[in-house]
Each structure stands twice: as structure tokens, then as C-alpha cells.
């Protein structure tokens, strides 16, 4: 390229440096000496004063497997010699460094623009970055490039961009791990995969995934595998799962890894060698509960062990098996003085007011009555105690729950109120809003001032739907409540005026209160909802806590055989109710031996059948640790089997014939009476009956047909017959009841002394029925019938002759038992042929 020149007027060429350019022409700025045109052209090409210029450093990026490098800033070289041909042009770029696989090419010599490119494929996995030197050179002074100049050296740093060309690969295709059953691990094992890509984005593993379905395992982003639930060796001992990996570009591993998890059985701390169901045969005494049981701790030495055995008996009778006798009889057996009145006896001929009540529980349970808000009973006047003073006692078993509704009505257990005309409550026991209240109104004859009248107790037991034993001891003005033997004072006592004395008869009721006045029709009110058993009232206080404890004592419980052998090594505690045993010791084998001595005993002859639940809880300490293992509680059941039911058999003469004239002196009705009780002998396959000796609690002699005429007929028993026996009797026009817990032999002895007396001629036949019971009516005898034939006038004489010389048309049938006496007991019975 030629430089611009001007001309002088004389035609000489002016120097280019003095040229002034104007639109349309070129002229010399000033006249100055200059060489000719040809000479100047040659001189200009021989001048190259300046070096090319480039940036001091460049940063480039190239994607692997391509040749294009993107530089920042762009590759451009400048030369101050421009626009001089050659000297002001860029002819090339030089890359220094034999290991740099790059070259630079000139795209435009005049502008100096260039391009950096790879000489061949670039592999990021082999080298991720390159650093080298680059220089630019001009074209020198001529076409041959003589006199070229080079720029300063610039540093070029090129990074290789990665392509996600490789998939993750696991270090091994199979992994094996093991777990102990019952444990949940944070990490069972770790799988690892790698990726050959060079960049963090594509070479790092960002995620692992279990591809198997419905497994109990999970995996985190680092490849740690854990179980999400405890595993059971017996259920499954080996698990096989598949795992894959993903790099951060979400490229999946070409082949999954297989992971095998092996479940190892563990040593489980706990009691071994015990039975969940333990059968108990009534009458067998004490039975060991855990004769082969031992504790497996799965650790070394232990420093301390505590074991608790608890017996739950709420399903049996009134909370547990207790004596199934009347409360009145039990008070005698426990040493209380006589004088108690049983208000809820077993139904019988004389004590018949409970016959309409609903029994609570089966016939195998203790006698109790269920009240649902519609049943109540009037106590006959002859039963009601008349000699109550400032000291008397009320006892009862009660099971009661919360009453429906927010404002519950009073629920009366016992009430003594006006029979007619008025509606005054003289004394009563009732429940109101889960509070037990005892009302006692004194008479004006005793005092004419305000006196304590209502005594309130608020206890959880009143509405917990469980059986509890209540004793209300009145020593006016003090009233004390015992619940299950524990003393409670009233939290509230309110005063009231005494009641004016009147001639109105009183009515004692159970299960409700009698409202005989101030209404159009007398009725029951304030019905009780719950269950009652053994409700008694007696004059005087129960003397001691010992008697109260005796009345509620269970006849079943836990026991320890040979406890003296444990005292030196094992500390143990047995609660008074014998429902809880606590053992402590430092030696495991000694604790095992101690627990094998725990037994169940039921001393009732005919226990309530059914389940009794056991719970065993254990705490263990190791040396230097508070708690080293956890021993799970175990539950077992003592199943009390159905006892062999006794059969009470009464035998004796079925007919008596006596002259009417002899009845005034009294006829011994049961001189040849025999009572036995038999049960099936369960020890022998023959099923034979064996006689057993135990107690009866009442026998009733009922008059069938027309009642005894008052003042003319009666059943008589001399009080001397009861001396030395736990028996009492009640007499009425319908018969006689002999009651109390006593032996069969004593009952037999007393009944044989009962006489029938008639002071005036009666019908020709009187029939009596005798029944006996044990366990408060749970078992009753067959009905023994006795017919007394009464002979009047000539019939008596003829009967004696016939007995001495039987006519030919009569057949003699000899009874099993015959006995002669002054009342002409039948020796033979004649039947017409």
C-alpha cells in the first residue's frame, strides 16, 4: 500500500509527512525538500520502528473434543507502524510451549485480529487446563518479512470444558452387610460409585437410589444404607436389594450394584422357660407358677436385679376370691360380737325379701345383687334392728360407677324412713355425685339442739367401677369410714335439727328410699345404680382393725415356698393382700431360684372359676451403669378350673304318723335325719362320689300349704341346742330358718331337736320341706319332704292295731331308716294290693 503524497507546482513529489488532505485533492502543506517519488517509495518500506502490542494475559475456554477456544479478551494485535505496509501489519502469532496443543492464526493482517485453536482433540480427562505464552509479530520491512518485530509475551490460560460422556461405575458389583435383629442402624454399609468425567458436575456422584420395591431399607446421598424398621431373624434372615447411582448430570450407572443384608439373631433379654397359661385345679393347695423360668440378660455380670410379680384378680367375685358366706356369718368367723343383721341374705323361705332382686354374676361367684335404678327391697319389720343407739356399724361391699347426667340424683343404698303420713329420713346411706353421704337424724328425746346430721366423703373408689369394702362406724357424734381397711374422716359435716318423735312406723329399705307420705301413692324413690353385697347393720362398733381386715381378706393370692431359704441372699416383700411380690438381689442365679418359688394358692374349697392375670416386670443394673438392659414385661394367666360341685344329700323318714293328742307335747320331726355332702372324685376315672366334710350356712324348714296358726301351732327349738355352735335361728308362721357357718354335724344335731307343736286339733296332714345351703346359696341341697299324718280319735287306735297285725290286702314296704319313739314313728308303710 502506497502512502499518500503531494506534488509541488514544479512537479516534484512532496514528503508524505507534509501532505495536507482536503476534500477532492491532496496538496503539500509547505514546500520542503524531498526526494523523487521513486526514491521515497523505497525508503518508506525500510522503516519498522514499533513492536506489535497485545494484552498481557488471556483466559480461554475450550470444550473437549472441539478445537475452538473462546478467549477473553479476544486475540487482537496492534502496531503503531500502521499504515506503513508490512511494518504496520500483523503476520502471525507464536505459541511458546511444546506441550501446548494450540496454535494461533491471523484472521486479518491489517486489523491484527487472530484466533486461538487446538491442533487436535482435547481430552478433559487427560488434562483439564493449559497455560502457555503467546506473541504477535508484524510483517517486517517487506514481503520476505525481514526486520520483523515481536510483541511482548502474554500468558494464556485455557480451561477445558467437560462433556458428560461417562456413566457412574460402582467400585464393586456386590456388597455384603449384616444387622442384628431388633435393631435399627444409622448405617449398615456404604456403597461407592465413581465417574471418569473431569468436571465436578459430571464426575461427582450426587445421588444413590434403591431400585428394589417394598424394602425395609433406605440409602442417603453418600451411599450409606440403613434399615427403616427392626428386622426379625425368624421372619426373614436375608435381604437382596439393587442400588444404582447418578452423577450430578443425572446420568445413571450403567449397571446396578447388588447389596446383600444378612440378619443375625440376637440374644434377647427377657424371661425364658415360662408358660403363658397356668391351670389351677381347685383343692390342690399351692402351685408353683414358674418352676423352670430363668432370666437371660445377654450381658456379662449384673450388679442388681429387681423383679415384681403382680396378681390381678378383679374378675373373680368381689375383686378376688373371698369367703362366700354371708357378711353376718363372716363377722362371727372374724371374731366380731354377735348382733349383726344381714340385709341382703341369700333368698330362702324365711329371708325371702331378696328373691326379687337381680343377682350380679354367675352362680359360681360370690352372692351379690345388681341394682339398675328400678329394684329395691323392703326389709321385714321383724328383721330390722330395734336397739340401735349412738353406737352402731354398717358394712357393705359396693361397686359403683359415675352417674349419667351432670346433675345426678341421690342413689340410696340403705334408708330408714317413715312408712306412712310423712317423708322423714331417720338414717340413710346414699351416693350423690360420686360422694358417699351418711345421714343420721337424732330424736328430740335425745337432744333439742343442732347436731351433726350429714357426713360426706369424696373418694375415687366410690365411682371407679371396682368392688370395695365399706365400713361406717358410728360413735355419735363421730362417724368414721373405712374403705378396704383404710380410715377416712368426712370432709364435710352438716348439722340439722332433731326429728320430732311420733307414732309413725318406720320402713327400712335397700336399693332405694321409701316415700310413704306427702305423695298420692307411696312409692320407692332415689334408686341405687350399682352392685351391693354383704350389707349388714349391727349395734355397737366393730372392735378392731384386725376384724375389718379379716372381713375383706382374699382367699387367693401369691405365696413363696420355703421363704427362709431366700432371706440371706434375696430381699423380698409380699403385700398384705398377697397380690404383689417384690424381690431384689445382686445375683442372677439366686434371683432365678427365688422366682421359681413363687406360687399361687386359693384356699377356698369351691373357688370362683376363670382367669387371674399375672404381670412380671424386671429392672436390671450393670456394674458402673444405671440401667444396662431393658427386660420386657411378661403377662401370664392363672386359669382356675371349674371346681367339682358338691351335692348336699338329706335323708330320713318321709312319713310320720302320730296321734293328734301327742302333738301338744311336741313332735321331733327329724330324729333320723342324715346330711352328707359329696363331690365327684376327680382323681379317679370311675367318677365315684366321695364324702367331704365342710360347712353349711343355712337350713330352712318350710311349712307347705296353710301357714301355722298363730298361738296354736309352732316349730320349737330350745336355745340350749345352739350352745357351743356358730348358729342362730329365726321363726315365723311359714317355717324356721337356722343359719350360720358351721359344720354339717352341728346342723344335723340342731335340726334333730326341732319340734312341731300343736295345741289344738289340726288337719290330718302337715307337710314340711327341708333344704340346706352352703356358700351363701351357691350350692343347695335336694328338697327333703316330710309328711306328718295326724290321727284323730279312733284312727289313732286302729292305726296301732294295723301296725301290729297288717291286713292281708296290704303290702309292707320298709323304709330305709326306721326308728321307734313315743310318737309312733312309722315302722312300715302299707300299700294296697
Amino acid at each position: 500500500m502506497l502512502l499518500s503524497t503531494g506534488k509541488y507546482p514544479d512537479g516534484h513529489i512532496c514528503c508524505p509527512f507534509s501532505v495536507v488532505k482536503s476534500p477532492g485533492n491532496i496538496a503539500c502543506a509547505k514546500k520542503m525538500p524531498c526526494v523523487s517519488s521513486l526514491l521515497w517509495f523505497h525508503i518508506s518500506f525500510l522503516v519498522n520502528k514499533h513492536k506489535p502490542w497485545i494484552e498481557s494475559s488471556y483466559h480461554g475456554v475450550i470444550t473437549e473434543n472441539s478445537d475452538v477456544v473462546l478467549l477473553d479478551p479476544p486475540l487482537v494485535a496492534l502496531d503503531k507502524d500502521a499504515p506503513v505496509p508490512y511494518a504496520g501489519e500483523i503476520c502471525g502469532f507464536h505459541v511458546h510451549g511444546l506441550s501446548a496443543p494450540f496454535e494461533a492464526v491471523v484472521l486479518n493482517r491489517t486489523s491484527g485480529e487472530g484466533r486461538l485453536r487446538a491442533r487436535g482433540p482435547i481430552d478433559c480427562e487427560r488434562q483439564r487446563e493449559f497455560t502457555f505464552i503467546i506473541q504477535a509479530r508484524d510483517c517486517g520491512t517487506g514481503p520476505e518479512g525481514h526486520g520483523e518485530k515481536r510483541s511482548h509475551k502474554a500468558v494464556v490460560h485455557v480451561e477445558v470444558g467437560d462433556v458428560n460422556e461417562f456413566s457412574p461405575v460402582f467400585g464393586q458389583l456386590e456388597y455384603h452387610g449384616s444387622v442384628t435383629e431388633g435393631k435399627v442402624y444409622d448405617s449398615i454399609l456404604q456403597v461407592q460409585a465413581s465417574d471418569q468425567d473431569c468436571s465436578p458436575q459430571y464426575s461427582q456422584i450426587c445421588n444413590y437410589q434403591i431400585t428394589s420395591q417394598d424394602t425395609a431399607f433406605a440409602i442417603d446421598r453418600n451411599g450409606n444404607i440403613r434399615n427403616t424398621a427392626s428386622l426379625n431373624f425368624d421372619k426373614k434372615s436375608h435381604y437382596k436389594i439393587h442400588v444404582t447411582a447418578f452423577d450430578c448430570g443425572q446420568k445413571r450407572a450403567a449397571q446396578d450394584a447388588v447389596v446383600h443384608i444378612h440378619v443375625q439373631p440376637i440374644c434377647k433379654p427377657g424371661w425364658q422357660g415360662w408358660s403363658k397359661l397356668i391351670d389351677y385345679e381347685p383343692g390342690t393347695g399351692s402351685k408353683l407358677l414358674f418352676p423352670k423360668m430363668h432370666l437371660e440378660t445377654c450381658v456379662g455380670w449384673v450388679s442388681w436385679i429387681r423383679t415384681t410379680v403382680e396378681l390381678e384378680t378383679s374378675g373373680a367375685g368381689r375383686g378376688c376370691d373371698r369367703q362366700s358366706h354371708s357378711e353376718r356369718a363372716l363377722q362371727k368367723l372374724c371374731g366380731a360380737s354377735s348382733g349383726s343383721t344381714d340385709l341382703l341374705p341369700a333368698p330362702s323361705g324365711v329371708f325371702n325379701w331378696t328373691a326379687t332382686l337381680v343377682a350380679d354374676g354367675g352362680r359360681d361367684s360370690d352372692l351379690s345383687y345388681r341394682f339398675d335404678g328400678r329394684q329395691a327391697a323392703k326389709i321385714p319389720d321383724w328383721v330390722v334392728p330395734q336397739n340401735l343407739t349412738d353406737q352402731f356399724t354398717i358394712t357393705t361391699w359396693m361397686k359403683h360407677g359415675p352417674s349419667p347426667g351432670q346433675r345426678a340424683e341421690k342413689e340410696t343404698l340403705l334408708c330408714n324412713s317413715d312408712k306412712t303420713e310423712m317423708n322423714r329420713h331417720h338414717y340413710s346411706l346414699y351416693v350423690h355425685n360420686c360422694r358417699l353421704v351418711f345421714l343420721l337424724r337424732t330424736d328430740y328425746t335425745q337432744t333439742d339442739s343442732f347436731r351433726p346430721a350429714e357426713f360426706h366423703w369424696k373418694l375415687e373408689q366410690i365411682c371407679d367401677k371396682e368392688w370395695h369394702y365399706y365400713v361406717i362406724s358410728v360413735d355419735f357424734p363421730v362417724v368414721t369410714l373405712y374403705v378396704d381397711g383404710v380410715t377416712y374422716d368426712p370432709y364435710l359435716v352438716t348439722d340439722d335439727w332433731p326429728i320430732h318423735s311420733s307414732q309413725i312406723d318406720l320402713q327400712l329399705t335397700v336399693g332405694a328410699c321409701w316415700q310413704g307420705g306427702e305423695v298420692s301413692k307411696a312409692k320407692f324413690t332415689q334408686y341405687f345404680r350399682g352392685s351391693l353385697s354383704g350389707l349388714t347393720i349391727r349395734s355397737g362398733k366393730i372392735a378392731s382393725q384386725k376384724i375389718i381386715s379379716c372381713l375383706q381378706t382374699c382367699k387367693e393370692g401369691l405365696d413363696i415356698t420355703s421363704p427362709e431359704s431366700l432371706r440371706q441372699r434375696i430381699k423380698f416383700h409380699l403385700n398384705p393382700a398377697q397380690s404383689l411380690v417384690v424381690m431384689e438381689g445382686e445375683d442372677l442365679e439366686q434371683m432365678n431360684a427365688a422366682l421359681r418359688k413363687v406360687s399361687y394358692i386359693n384356699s377356698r374349697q369351691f373357688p370362683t372359676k376363670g382367669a387371674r392375670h399375672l404381670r412380671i416386670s424386671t429392672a436390671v443394673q450393670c456394674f458402673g451403669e444405671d440401667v444396662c438392659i431393658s427386660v420386657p414385661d411378661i403377662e401370664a394367666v392363672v386359669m382356675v378350673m371349674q371346681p367339682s360341685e358338691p351335692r348336699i344329700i338329706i335323708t330320713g323318714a318321709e312319713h310320720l304318723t302320730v296321734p293328734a293328742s301327742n302333738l301338744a307335747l311336741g313332735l321331733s320331726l327329724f330324729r333320723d335325719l342324715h346330711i352328707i355332702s359329696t363331690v365327684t372324685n376327680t382323681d379317679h376315672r370311675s367318677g365315684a362320689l366321695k364324702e367331704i366334710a365342710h360347712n353349711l350356712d343355712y337350713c330352712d324348714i318350710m311349712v307347705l300349704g296353710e301357714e301355722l296358726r298363730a298361738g296354736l301351732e309352732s316349730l320349737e327349738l330350745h336355745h340350749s341346742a345352739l350352745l357351743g355352735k356358730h348358729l342362730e335361728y329365726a321363726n315365723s308362721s311359714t317355717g324356721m330358718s337356722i343359719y350360720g357357718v358351721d359344720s354339717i354335724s352341728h346342723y344335723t344335731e340342731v335340726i334333730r331337736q326341732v319340734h312341731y307343736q300343736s295345741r289344738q286339733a289340726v288337719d290330718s296332714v302337715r307337710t314340711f320341706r327341708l333344704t340346706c345351703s352352703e356358700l351363701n346359696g351357691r350350692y343347695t341341697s335336694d328338697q327333703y319332704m316330710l309328711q306328718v299324718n295326724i290321727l284323730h280319735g279312733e284312727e289313732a287306735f286302729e292305726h296301732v292295731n294295723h301296725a301290729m297285725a297288717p291286713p292281708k290286702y296290704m303290702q309292707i314296704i320298709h323304709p330305709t331308716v326306721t326308728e321307734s319313739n313315743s310318737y309312733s314313728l312309722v315302722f312300715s308303710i302299707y300299700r294296697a294290693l
Side-chain angles (χ1 to χ4, degrees), residues 78 234 260 293 311 350 354 375 387 516 621 677 709 727 737 768:
L78 302 178
D234 296 329
H260 299 271
M293 191 161 77
L311 176 67
V350 177
T354 58
Q375 295 92 10
N387 57 345
Q621 289 183 359
S677 180
R709 296 173 297 174
L727 297 177
S737 181
F768 299 91

Side-chain angles (χ1 to χ4, degrees), residues 416-426 502 504-507 514-517:
N416 192 33
S417 59
D418 292 327
K419 185 176 293 187
T420 58
E421 299 183 32
M422 303 181 71
N423 185 31
R424 300 176 301 175
H425 296 182
H426 294 256
S502 67
I504 301 175
D505 292 335
L506 301 181
Q507 178 63 64
W514 180 254
Q515 186 173 1

Side-chain angles (χ1 to χ4, degrees), residues 269-304:
W271 292 102
Q272 298 181 4
W274 58 281
S275 176
K276 189 173 181 62
L277 181 63
I278 305 158
D279 290 334
Y280 180 81
E281 193 69 37
T284 57
S286 178
K287 180 171 184 176
L288 294 176
L289 296 174
F290 318 109
K292 298 181 180 179
M293 191 161 77
H294 67 278
L295 178 62
E296 177 60 68
T297 62
C298 301
V299 294
W301 294 96
V302 297
S303 61
W304 176 83

Side-chain angles (χ1 to χ4, degrees), residues 401-591:
S403 302
Q406 295 182 348
R407 300 187 62 182
E409 296 181 354
K410 294 180 180 179
E411 300 178 54
T412 301
L413 288 73
L414 175 68
C415 181
N416 192 33
S417 59
D418 292 327
K419 185 176 293 187
T420 58
E421 299 183 32
M422 303 181 71
N423 185 31
R424 300 176 301 175
H425 296 182
H426 294 256
Y427 62 84
S428 67
L429 180 64
Y430 62 89
V431 174
H432 188 209
N433 290 326
C434 291
R435 291 165 173 81
L436 186 66
V437 182
F438 176 64
L439 170 69
L440 177 61
R441 301 288 300 278
T442 56
D443 195 285
Y444 252 114
T445 58
Q446 298 171 294
T447 181
D448 59 354
S449 61
F450 249 27
R451 300 296 300 274
E454 280 191 337
F455 303 83
H456 299 248
W457 295 271
K458 183 180 180 181
L459 304 172
E460 293 181 358
Q461 295 93 317
I462 297 172
C463 285
D464 67 358
K465 298 182 181 180
E466 299 289 344
W467 281 106
H468 298 285
Y469 186 62
Y470 298 81
V471 177
I472 296 177
S473 180
V474 179
D475 188 5
F476 196 81
V478 177
V479 177
T480 304
L481 172 67
Y482 299 87
V483 180
D484 298 331
V486 179
T487 306
Y488 296 94
D489 293 325
Y491 80 94
L492 175 65
V493 178
T494 59
D495 295 341
D496 204 346
W497 290 105
I499 293 179
H500 289 278
S501 59
S502 67
Q503 300 301 317
I504 301 175
D505 292 335
L506 301 181
Q507 178 63 64
L508 183 61
T509 55
V510 174
C513 206
W514 180 254
Q515 186 173 1
E518 301 177 1
V519 289
S520 58
K521 183 180 179 180
K523 62 178 181 179
F524 284 112
T525 185
Q526 299 177 2
Y527 283 97
F528 178 70
R529 293 177 175 84
S531 297
L532 297 175
S533 179
L535 177 59
T536 69
I537 185 170
R538 64 190 301 274
S539 177
K541 297 188 299 182
I542 290 184
S544 67
Q545 186 82 25
K546 181 179 180 181
I547 295 176
I548 295 176
S549 299
C550 173
L551 292 172
Q552 62 176 14
T553 298
C554 290
K555 302 298 289 184
E556 63 179 330
L558 300 174
D559 196 13
I560 301 176
T561 58
S562 304
E564 63 279 354
S565 63
L566 304 177
R567 291 193 179 278
Q568 301 299 325
R569 298 170 294 176
I570 299 293
K571 296 179 181 179
F572 69 93
H573 169 73
L574 184 62
N575 70 338
Q578 293 187 256
S579 61
L580 186 71
V581 176
V582 180
M583 297 180 171
E584 293 184 7
E586 299 177 354
D587 185 271
L588 178 60
E589 290 304 319
Q590 292 175 0
M591 179 60 70

Side-chain angles (χ1 to χ4, degrees), residues 713-785:
E713 293 178 279
S714 63
L715 292 175
E716 300 293 339
L717 178 63
H718 199 277
H719 284 286
S720 62
L722 304 179
L723 294 177
K725 304 176 181 64
H726 294 288
L727 297 177
E728 300 176 69
Y729 76 96
N731 210 350
S732 71
S733 61
T734 60
M736 176 182 290
S737 181
I738 302 169
Y739 53 90
V741 179
D742 213 329
S743 65
I744 291 179
S745 61
H746 278 181
Y747 265 93
T748 303
E749 181 182 340
V750 170
I751 295 173
R752 285 176 178 176
Q753 299 182 56
V754 174
H755 289 71
Y756 166 63
Q757 193 173 44
S758 177
R759 298 170 181 83
Q760 188 177 353
V762 295
D763 295 337
S764 300
V765 176
R766 268 295 187 188
T767 303
F768 299 91
R769 182 182 66 202
L770 173 63
T771 57
C772 292
S773 162
E774 60 181 313
L775 299 181
N776 211 16
R778 183 172 170 185
Y779 302 112
T780 57
S781 69
D782 55 349
Q783 295 183 354
Y784 168 66
M785 309 294 291

